[in-house]
Amino acid sequence: MKRILLSMAALSLAACSQPAEQQPAANNAAVAETNETAQAPIPSLEGKWVVEQANSKAPDQLWPMTAEVTKDRFTIVSECRKMSWTFKQDRNFVQFTPAAGVECARVRSPAENLANATVKLANTAVFSDEGRTVQISGSGGTISMTRR
């Protein structure tokens, strides 16, 4: 009877232990590294853009609206106005912080107000057409841009 109890105890401990073929931690790190390198590259926002749409509509104004993006600065140019933000990009995630810009004597157009609200609250940049187009969006709306 004692042998049966000991056998049952040994079997229950064996059933609860980790499988023998489990990979060591070093291999798990290699798998994580492989997964990171397998991700598709995300284009940078850096470059010159034309603002094509704001909330799925062409900007309703006479002059074109463009964007100039450097490593850490995002600027929308609309006639005599330059609205500027510092920004960070981590793959498709973006974060914008208002920075000094240039204002005009005229009041902002509705399209400029919408672009300002959109960029200020944006948190996502989704690229398409091999990085030639991008939609920047967040709780303030969406703007769509094409590279110049």
Side-chain angles (χ1 to χ4, degrees):
M1 183 66 131
K2 288 182 183 179
R3 285 185 187 175
I4 293 175
L5 288 175
L6 285 174
S7 297
M8 289 177 63
L11 285 174
S12 64
L13 283 176
C16 293
S17 66
Q18 295 180 354
E21 68 267 356
Q22 184 178 14
Q23 296 179 351
N27 287 344
N28 289 339
V31 169
E33 185 177 317
T34 301
N35 288 341
E36 285 181 23
T37 57
Q39 293 178 346
I42 301 295
S44 169
L45 275 174
E46 288 184 56
K48 296 185 178 201
W49 300 85
V50 174
V51 177
E52 301 285 349
Q53 294 184 340
N55 286 343
S56 302
K57 297 178 185 173
D60 187 21
Q61 58 185 36
L62 299 174
W63 49 90
M65 190 179 295
T66 61
E68 298 171 0
V69 186
T70 61
K71 181 181 174 192
D72 58 357
R73 180 79 112 190
F74 185 94
T75 303
I76 291 183
V77 179
S78 180
E79 193 192 31
C80 56
R81 176 166 283 114
K82 289 185 178 184
M83 299 175 284
S84 225
W85 300 264
T86 59
F87 84 101
K88 296 177 187 173
Q89 179 182 357
D90 180 13
R91 298 191 53 79
N92 288 103
F93 300 103
V94 290
Q95 179 182 12
F96 295 90
T97 304
V102 176
E103 290 294 327
C104 300
R106 64 172 176 75
V107 297
R108 284 188 177 185
S109 72
E112 290 168 340
N113 285 329
L114 179 58
N116 181 54
T118 299
V119 173
K120 183 170 41 176
L121 299 173
N123 56 17
T124 306
V126 178
F127 294 87
S128 59
D129 197 21
E130 296 179 347
R132 289 187 290 269
T133 60
V134 66
Q135 281 191 334
I136 296 175
S137 60
S139 60
T142 301
I143 60 171
S144 301
M145 302 188 304
T146 304
R147 286 196 193 268
R148 294 195 271 165

